[in-house]
Amino acid sequence: MNNVELNFWLKRINGLLLHPSQEWGNIRKEPTEENTLFRKFFIPFCIAISVAVLFISLLRLNFFYALGYALIHLTSNLTGTYIVFLLIREYLNGKSLDSGNTALNLTVFSAVIFLFFHSLSAAFGTNFLSQLTGLLSLVFLRTLYTGIYTTIDLNTNQKTNLFIITSLAIIFIPVIIHKLLMILFHIPVFNI
């Protein structure tokens, strides 16, 4: 990822946080390719946030636990979000003309905001910063809600159902995968 792409993605995330209606309007006008969005945006984001988790975790854990913790974050964020994308694409199949791109945009851009704050919350442990960033992770709901009501032509009940399914999936699927991997690799789940 070069500096131009990095600036573009940082501007995109900033726009989704501060001016979601305007940013979703821009996203709707752009063609989306699944491979490009994952390869050039989501995978580098997940790697960067895992590196941040590694360095923050080193403040309270030994190197091997911190490394394992960061790798588990990387794996759970990538696989969990991809599973959410598949779920939302299946839900939108037959309801939206461009179900794949719509599901991809909604999932990736909303998940990035959630995973950023959630990963920092987990890395900080159980202190005030952890609690604060954990609460801030819920700001993704605003981004998701605005995205659904800006980009999709569905009836109100379908939009409400989509919002509920997507928000719960973004919150729970990566977190469940994370907890299962923590148990599998014998890293303490709750006392870390």
Side-chain angles (χ1 to χ4, degrees):
M1 181 180 291
N2 59 35
N3 285 339
V4 174
E5 290 174 335
L6 181 62
N7 288 334
F8 173 78
W9 294 118
L10 290 175
K11 185 177 175 185
R12 167 72 30 99
I13 297 303
N14 188 40
L16 286 169
L17 283 170
L18 300 177
H19 310 288
S21 297
Q22 180 182 354
E23 201 60 38
W24 279 113
N26 294 338
I27 291 170
R28 188 174 190 179
K29 296 173 192 171
E30 298 171 358
T32 303
E33 295 179 25
E34 180 179 333
N35 191 21
T36 303
L37 189 58
F38 270 108
R39 186 174 40 85
K40 289 195 171 196
F41 174 64
F42 192 67
I43 292 173
F45 164 79
C46 287
I47 292 170
I49 199 67
S50 294
V51 169
V53 166
L54 172 66
F55 286 119
I56 293 169
S57 297
L58 282 173
L59 297 174
R60 59 188 182 82
L61 300 171
N62 71 39
F63 176 76
F64 293 109
Y65 271 117
L67 180 63
Y69 200 55
L71 291 174
I72 286 172
H73 263 280
L74 177 65
T75 304
S76 63
N77 289 349
L78 286 171
T79 57
T81 303
Y82 189 72
I83 291 169
V84 173
F85 159 65
L86 295 175
L87 176 73
I88 302 309
R89 184 180 68 185
E90 188 62 32
Y91 176 79
L92 288 175
N93 195 14
K95 293 180 181 81
S96 176
L97 294 175
D98 194 11
S99 61
N101 286 336
T102 303
L104 180 66
N105 285 331
L106 287 173
T107 303
V108 167
F109 291 123
S110 299
V112 161
I113 294 170
F114 172 74
L115 293 174
F116 175 75
F117 290 113
H118 176 71
S119 295
L120 289 179
S121 174
F124 286 129
T126 58
N127 58 27
F128 174 74
L129 283 175
S130 172
Q131 302 302 315
L132 181 64
T133 53
L135 285 173
L136 284 174
S137 69
L138 296 177
V139 79
F140 92 96
L141 293 170
R142 176 179 175 236
T143 304
L144 177 63
Y145 179 84
T146 306
I148 288 172
Y149 282 86
T150 304
T151 61
I152 302 176
D153 297 324
L154 298 173
N155 66 44
T156 305
N157 286 338
Q158 289 174 329
K159 286 183 179 183
T160 303
N161 291 342
L162 180 61
F163 175 72
I164 292 169
I165 292 167
T166 307
S167 59
L168 291 176
I170 287 173
I171 291 171
F172 289 113
I173 292 176
V175 171
I176 289 170
I177 292 171
H178 181 263
K179 298 301 181 196
L180 289 174
L181 288 173
M182 297 281 283
I183 292 167
L184 180 68
F185 290 104
H186 303 289
I187 297 176
V189 176
F190 296 109
N191 295 329
I192 194 146

